[in-house]
Amino acid sequence: MKYFDKNAWIYLDGRFVKAEAAGADLFSQSVHYGFSAIEGIRAYNTHNGTRLFKAEQHYDRLRRSCEQVGIDFPWDTNALVDKTYELLDRNNLRSAYIRPLVTTGRNMYLTPAQDTSISITAWEWGPFLGAGLISTTLSPHRRPSPLSVPATAKVSGQYVASILATTEAGKRGFDEAILLDQEGFVAQASSNNLFIEKNNTLYTPARGHIFPGITRQAVLELASIFSITVVEKQLTPDDLKTADSAFLTGTATGIVGIASLDGVAFPEAWSDTLGATIQRAYKNLTLEKENYEVII
Ligand code: PMP
């Protein structure tokens, strides 16, 4: 995967610089301890031009992630959104994934560094887990405990668990891992939220141990528009195994149907599921083909 070439620009602390010229500080606390915060935003090529999807929400979440772990965040959301559009323009990107990153400065002590830095990079990226249905497995790795690091903070160190789970699932031939939480309930996939369908109702793990995604919230809103009941509650592995269908949600992924769990296919044909209805509506929303807020 090539993320940039010699012509690519990135945004770094108020300036646009060539991606090639930017490098990590090897004395940064972020590199040593994973003490940094990230976001993932998508830009879509819509009939209204290139449009960021829910960019303000993403930058507000980045601010909250930083605040939760004591990283200084002196930047303004609207200014960051403007800079992101400029970045896309400079790189001629119409449909892209955008990765804002807040890093901390030089400090080998286990206290937050005083100086922080923000970068925004962007590249063309297809759907994270592909466009078709995926195979999943219950992972032996668990979601990090919210008692250790706040579950709602998108901080880099959390992703060690995600990398281990994805790698382990991949070695056993599965596309993606489903992780339990510290109490043994189903939490989510390594970097996506999970919904299951049972008897014409959607269920999704309640907040607490999960990272409550912006796409998950969009699904809850779309479901309410379509009068689909969604129950947020703790789900057991058995609830997942006996579901009629299941799907994952995330900015990079969009909405992707799950074909099977540990080799056992979910019984409902994907095209007949509530997930497929939501998937179509979500696509229309991102491409600005429908304005569901107006329909409400
Ligand atoms: N869980 C984790 C661990 C994630 O990294 C992401 C992607 N940011 C999600 C869930 C989905 O969140 P969102 O819908 O906001 O992209």
Side-chain angles (χ1 to χ4, degrees):
M1 169 84 201
K2 194 168 165 65
Y3 291 93
F4 62 89
D5 62 22
K6 64 179 173 41
N7 299 315
W9 295 95
I10 68 163
Y11 175 80
L12 180 63
D13 295 324
R15 294 184 307 134
F16 288 94
V17 297
K18 282 283 162 74
E20 266 190 344
D25 179 350
L26 291 180
F27 290 85
S28 156
Q29 191 176 46
S30 303
V31 176
H32 288 260
Y33 306 132
F35 195 61
S36 50
I38 55 170
E39 262 309 319
I41 312 175
R42 264 211 189 266
Y44 291 93
N45 189 7
T46 79
H47 60 104
N48 296 321
T50 298
R51 304 279 287 158
L52 294 166
F53 188 63
K54 297 188 186 286
E56 287 81 7
Q57 280 190 39
H58 281 280
Y59 281 115
D60 285 346
R61 183 169 72 183
L62 184 60
R63 173 190 313 282
R64 286 197 305 277
S65 292
C66 288
E67 283 170 0
Q68 284 182 86
V69 297
I71 297 177
D72 199 27
F73 191 94
W75 304 285
D76 173 69
T77 289
N78 291 332
L80 292 171
V81 173
D82 288 349
K83 294 299 175 194
T84 307
Y85 274 110
E86 191 177 339
L87 179 73
L88 293 173
D89 201 37
R90 278 177 180 254
N91 287 307
N92 276 321
L93 289 167
R94 298 190 196 297
S95 163
Y97 184 76
I98 297 108
R99 166 54 55 80
L101 164 70
V102 176
T103 55
T104 51
R106 296 177 182 171
N107 182 13
M108 295 302 159
Y109 293 97
L110 299 177
T111 51
Q114 293 305 308
D115 46 331
T116 57
S117 163
I118 190 162
S119 62
I120 310 173
T121 49
W123 60 90
E124 250 185 73
W125 222 14
F128 187 59
L129 292 170
L133 300 182
I134 59 161
S135 65
T136 62
T137 179
L138 270 182
S139 178
H141 297 278
R142 295 207 172 183
R143 279 297 292 166
S145 167
L147 297 175
S148 300
V149 179
T152 50
K154 198 166 164 63
V155 290
S156 305
Q158 301 259 35
Y159 286 84
V160 175
S162 302
I163 289 174
L164 293 179
T166 311
T167 308
E168 194 279 335
K171 279 187 185 151
R172 290 192 287 115
F174 297 100
D175 297 323
E176 180 55 310
I178 308 282
L179 285 73
L180 303 183
D181 66 25
Q182 295 291 320
E183 294 170 2
F185 292 101
V186 176
Q188 58 170 95
S190 56
S191 66
N192 285 289
N193 291 115
L194 172 75
F195 286 77
I196 63 173
E197 178 181 340
K198 183 80 183 177
N199 297 333
N200 227 23
T201 296
L202 291 180
Y203 296 85
T204 192
R207 295 166 80 104
H209 290 254
I210 61 162
F211 181 74
I214 289 171
T215 320
R216 174 184 181 274
Q217 184 57 34
V219 169
L220 296 180
E221 287 162 20
L222 286 171
S224 130
I225 290 163
F226 292 125
S227 300
I228 295 170
T229 307
V230 189
V231 181
E232 294 175 72
K233 59 177 274 208
Q234 286 179 317
L235 298 175
T236 64
D238 219 48
D239 290 331
L240 175 59
K241 285 176 194 162
T242 57
D244 298 331
S245 71
F247 61 93
L248 299 180
T249 70
T251 298
T253 302
I255 294 174
V256 68
I258 302 178
S260 59
L261 175 75
D262 286 318
V264 181
F266 286 105
E268 200 174 353
W270 172 249
S271 54
D272 298 339
T273 65
L274 297 173
T277 301
I278 301 263
Q279 186 185 45
R280 277 190 296 275
Y282 181 77
K283 193 170 177 196
N284 287 339
L285 195 64
T286 58
L287 295 177
E288 301 192 351
K289 287 188 178 162
E290 291 283 4
N291 185 347
Y292 291 101
E293 274 95 333
V294 172
I295 294 174
I296 297 175

